[in-house]
Amino acid sequence: MATWMRWLGVEVDEVSTKEKAVSGLGGFVAIGILMLITRDALDLHGASMVIASMGASAVLLFAVPHGQLSQPWPVVAGHVTSALIGVTAAEMIGSIELAAAVAVGAAIGAMHVLKCIHPPGGATALTAVVGGPAVYDLGFQFVVRPVLLNAVAMVMLAVAFNAMFAWRRYPAAANKPSPGSVAGGPSHADVLAALRSIDSFVDITETDLVRLVALLSDPVEEDQVGISAPRPTAR
């Protein structure tokens, strides 16, 4: 069973029920407020109101707020870059099938180059191609209204919501200490060298990686690095 779980990608889940509830509440509050903002303050309606890929962004920002994919630059730049590529593909390529494939593939490549990988960006690029007349009629305006406005609003909501909970800090840079400040922890150069050797994107911020190294090497340091780790129980 353990082997099958590993192949299926079922990871060890050590997240408390409280944290899971907070994650769900965050998504509920963020999308609800985003809908109200775009309807009342920005006077947007229908397909120009909130792009569906914001639902995927909400999962990352409120369930994985410390993840590298969830940070402000990946969220905003990932969505905007993907939207721009998607609209361009839709305008220049006659075949919708080819345009969709080019949009998503090019968006992934661009997000890699610009260091703003955000999975929902792929959905944004695809929406620009297959979103139908309501999206086509917006043209390149789609990049700004609603994509840019949605992404910026979502980031601001994540900052405000996560600030209410002491163990959740968004963006991740608000977590302390900064990389390299933990005694005996790896330096920034060490982290970069290790990541290059893996040669694959790892969804963890440098700060959290250093924290985990410190905890694994000496659990007593959990107070020093600002983590309230669960204590092992006697059996």
Side-chain angles (χ1 to χ4, degrees), residues 121-203:
T124 298
L126 187 60
T127 299
V129 177
V130 303
V135 174
Y136 298 155
D137 291 345
L138 292 173
F140 283 98
Q141 182 183 341
F142 175 74
V143 179
V144 178
R145 290 166 58 98
V147 174
L148 175 60
L149 296 178
N150 280 184
V152 171
M154 183 65 77
V155 167
M156 294 175 66
L157 288 167
V159 171
F161 180 85
N162 288 314
M164 294 189 292
F165 306 94
W167 69 94
R168 297 168 69 97
R169 285 293 174 261
Y170 185 86
N175 281 308
K176 300 299 180 182
S178 59
S181 63
V182 177
S187 66
H188 175 68
D190 292 335
V191 172
L192 289 181
L195 290 174
R196 289 193 186 101
S197 69
I198 295 175
D199 196 25
S200 182
F201 189 87
V202 178
D203 187 21

Side-chain angles (χ1 to χ4, degrees), residues 33 42 46 62 85 113 119 123 128 174 193 206 214 230:
I33 293 178
L42 302 178
F62 298 99
I85 290 173
V113 171
E206 186 174 347

Side-chain angles (χ1 to χ4, degrees), residues 51 67 72 92 121 218:
I51 53 173
M92 298 183 64
D218 185 1

